[in-house]
Amino acid sequence: MSDSSFDYSAIGKTASYIAAQQEASKKTSNSQSLDQEDFLKLLTTQLSNQDPTSPMDNTQMVNTMSQLSVVQNLNTITSGMDNVVSAISSSSALSASSLVGRSVLTDQSSGFFDGNNAMTAKINAGDGADNLKITITDSNGSVVGSYTANSGSGSMDFSWDGTDADGNKLPAGVYTINAQATREGKAVSLPVSTYATVGSVTLGKTSSDTILNLVGYGDVKLSDVSEIAL
């Protein structure tokens, strides 16, 4: 009785030969492209079996090897650049994490008073302003402090100790600093920027993706911070 499942193609072949053929077939199915090592193997085989009366074109062989070499070098460069980008990203992340606990300057006139440390800010008087009046309001819009100055110019530092007009310490919370002045006889509002403390950092792939969580303030992008203080 015949066995329809018998593999007649294996007749006359050793077990080692069959295993080698199967391994070669597996490699071929897993790879659809040739690298430089594969090309050199094929080239060696071709040179060993070429027709002496019609030898292989040396120019074509050199051109093919040159192209493979260029591709291999480009792959090496790409891999090296990936490592450089990864190192830069790691360095940026490490630098950003060191900001925790430090003060950064925001573009908002509202800031967080923690109940103990003074609330600091910068007031931009530009080329000059007269009759400066600075008011502090709480989250309800009520004025809790007022200060005056004759004149000022440029970027001026301002610090509020968290007390009201009677010297009473106010509770922690969000307060707003407003600055009014006159310039050439006209009333103007001066830009105010407040400092905030970095509570935590959410790391991104780049500095523009890195987010700073400011205590009592919220999230801002690292790229939006104009100044970092101690």
Side-chain angles (χ1 to χ4, degrees):
M1 180 182 294
S2 62
D3 186 354
S4 58
S5 64
F6 182 78
D7 185 5
Y8 292 94
S9 64
I11 297 176
K13 299 179 181 179
T14 64
S16 60
Y17 178 85
I18 295 174
Q21 289 292 96
Q22 291 175 342
E23 183 65 23
S25 177
K26 183 185 298 185
K27 290 183 177 179
T28 301
S29 61
N30 291 337
S31 175
Q32 299 298 323
S33 61
L34 297 177
D35 57 18
Q36 191 171 24
E37 183 179 355
D38 294 329
F39 173 75
L40 291 175
K41 289 180 179 179
L42 289 174
L43 178 62
T44 302
T45 302
Q46 186 173 356
L47 290 175
S48 300
N49 297 278
Q50 68 178 336
D51 185 355
T53 62
S54 180
M56 184 177 181
D57 187 352
N58 292 335
T59 302
Q60 182 181 2
M61 178 182 67
V62 171
N63 289 338
T64 304
M65 292 185 66
S66 298
Q67 292 173 2
L68 286 172
S69 179
V70 169
V71 172
Q72 187 176 30
N73 289 336
L74 287 176
N75 289 336
T76 302
I77 292 174
T78 301
S79 177
M81 289 302 298
D82 289 341
N83 292 335
V84 171
V85 171
S86 177
I88 292 175
S89 297
S90 298
S91 177
S92 299
L94 182 62
S95 298
S97 63
S98 67
L99 295 177
V100 175
R102 301 182 66 174
S103 295
V104 296
L105 187 63
T106 72
D107 60 356
Q108 300 294 321
S109 59
S110 297
F112 181 73
F113 171 60
D114 64 4
N116 295 304
N117 300 303
M119 180 177 165
T120 56
K122 282 186 178 295
I123 300 172
N124 187 2
D127 295 333
D130 302 316
N131 305 316
L132 274 70
K133 183 178 181 180
I134 302 170
T135 57
I136 313 296
T137 57
D138 60 18
S139 57
N140 297 319
S142 301
V143 176
V144 296
S146 181
Y147 307 88
T148 59
N150 292 329
S151 63
S153 63
S155 181
M156 303 180 298
D157 292 322
F158 176 77
S159 179
W160 176 57
D161 61 2
T163 60
D164 60 16
D166 298 325
N168 299 314
K169 201 75 168 181
L170 296 174
V174 176
Y175 294 84
T176 302
I177 301 174
N178 295 293
Q180 302 291 325
T182 59
R183 183 178 293 133
E184 299 179 352
K186 297 181 179 180
V188 294
S189 295
L190 303 181
V192 177
S193 302
T194 56
Y195 285 93
T197 301
V198 179
S200 63
V201 176
T202 302
L203 302 176
K205 293 182 179 180
T206 64
S207 59
S208 60
D209 297 330
T210 299
I211 303 297
L212 304 181
N213 179 264
L214 307 181
V215 177
Y217 182 89
D219 295 339
V220 298
K221 291 184 177 181
L222 176 59
S223 57
D224 292 337
V225 171
S226 58
E227 181 182 318
I228 300 173
L230 296 176

